[in-house]
Amino acid sequence: GAVVSQHPSRVICKSGTSVKIECRSLDFQATTMFWYRQFPKQSLMLMATSNEGSKATYEQGVEKDKFLINHASLTLSTLTVTSAHPEDSSFYICSATKGQGLGYTFGSGTRLTVV
Amino acid sequence: DQQVKQNSPSLSVQEGRISILNCDYTNSMFDYFLWYKKYPAEGPTFLISISSIKDKNEDGRFTVFLNKSAKHLSLHIVPSQPGDSAVYFCAASAYSGGSNYKLTFGKGTLLTVNP
């Protein structure tokens, strides 16, 4: 089956620093990757959609300069939270698909805590 | 405006009985529906899906029913097992341009199966 690896699973950083989260599709080529954010007891909110080799498409209200997304290859997408602040503390999850709505596989998530 | 709604934040059932989780949606452009199971601090795991051209899909103990006219779907788990205890997310997919299909999630329902 399709496997998506997300790292790190947990990170604590100081306010003002940047954090990079990696999402890798291990056994398939992901034409599209998605980044979600989940607050406690809330839904998964889509932040952005990234296609390999092109700029990410951000959802309304998501700051593209703060949440930098790179999808340089068919198996790797990264989310960088720049100049992190405590309000950025959340659970971030990526998912990958081969495209055309053919199944979405999720990573295990990253718990970001900004202190 | 929440396009996918799971109005029951929690559900508790006895082991061996049926669990019924409900989901309503408002966007008629959704053409594919999925159920995910999620444990705390983990990414969602795909359970079962249904295309908008069908009204029922069954996989083992899990059955999803779709009522398009009512914009309602439900997940039935029978018999329920303690290991089924988790948060269940309903998600709906719609074409979002290019080769992208975007998932919209409900807020989830916490299922507790009591031994």
Side-chain angles (χ1 to χ4, degrees):
Chain A
V3 178
V4 172
S5 174
Q6 185 175 342
H7 291 283
S9 59
R10 186 176 298 183
V11 58
I12 300 173
C13 71
K14 291 185 177 180
S15 186
T17 61
S18 295
V19 173
K20 180 185 282 188
I21 303 169
E22 288 190 352
C23 181
R24 293 181 185 270
S25 57
L26 298 185
D27 51 2
F28 67 101
Q29 293 186 329
T31 57
T32 306
M33 287 188 172
F34 304 87
W35 287 95
Y36 295 84
R37 181 175 181 176
Q38 186 188 22
F39 292 104
K41 297 185 180 180
Q42 294 295 315
S43 177
L44 282 74
M45 299 301 297
L46 180 65
M47 298 174 66
T49 302
S50 75
N51 292 300
E52 185 265 339
S54 61
K55 289 184 178 180
T57 302
Y58 290 81
E59 294 299 299
Q60 192 173 9
V62 178
E63 298 175 60
K64 60 180 66 177
D65 293 331
K66 181 166 189 60
F67 298 100
L68 300 179
I69 292 172
N70 183 280
H71 191 165
S73 77
L74 282 171
T75 59
L76 173 65
S77 177
T78 60
L79 168 67
T80 301
V81 183
T82 63
S83 187
H85 292 285
E87 57 265 30
D88 298 325
S89 298
S90 189
F91 191 61
Y92 293 87
I93 307 173
C94 71
S95 77
T97 178
K98 296 176 185 177
Q100 301 295 322
L102 296 175
Y104 303 83
T105 304
F106 285 81
S108 54
T110 298
R111 169 69 61 192
L112 170 63
T113 302
V114 185
V115 298
Chain B
D1 176 37
Q2 203 174 351
Q3 298 186 47
V4 178
K5 300 177 185 178
Q6 292 177 259
N7 292 319
S8 298
S10 63
L11 173 68
S12 182
V13 299
Q14 284 298 120
E15 181 178 7
R17 307 294 288 268
I18 185 171
S19 296
I20 300 176
L21 299 114
N22 293 303
C23 179
D24 297 290
Y25 62 96
T26 57
N27 188 345
S28 57
M29 298 304 292
F30 290 139
D31 58 4
Y32 200 68
F33 303 89
L34 309 93
W35 284 94
Y36 287 88
K37 178 180 180 180
K38 185 180 180 300
Y39 295 111
E42 293 185 11
T45 303
F46 171 74
L47 270 179
I48 192 169
S49 62
I50 188 167
S51 165
S52 60
I53 62 173
K54 294 188 174 182
D55 55 17
K56 178 182 175 181
N57 188 27
E58 191 172 354
D59 184 3
R61 297 186 297 115
F62 302 92
T63 303
V64 56
F65 295 92
L66 174 63
N67 183 332
K68 272 191 76 175
S69 59
K71 292 190 174 67
H72 176 84
L73 64 154
S74 60
L75 174 67
H76 293 211
I77 306 173
V78 56
S80 300
Q81 299 173 354
D84 296 330
S85 298
V87 176
Y88 288 77
F89 285 97
C90 169
S93 173
Y95 180 64
S96 61
S99 60
N100 293 331
Y101 289 77
K102 191 165 70 174
L103 279 185
T104 302
F105 284 84
K107 287 189 175 182
T109 297
L110 173 62
L111 173 66
T112 303
V113 180
N114 302 303

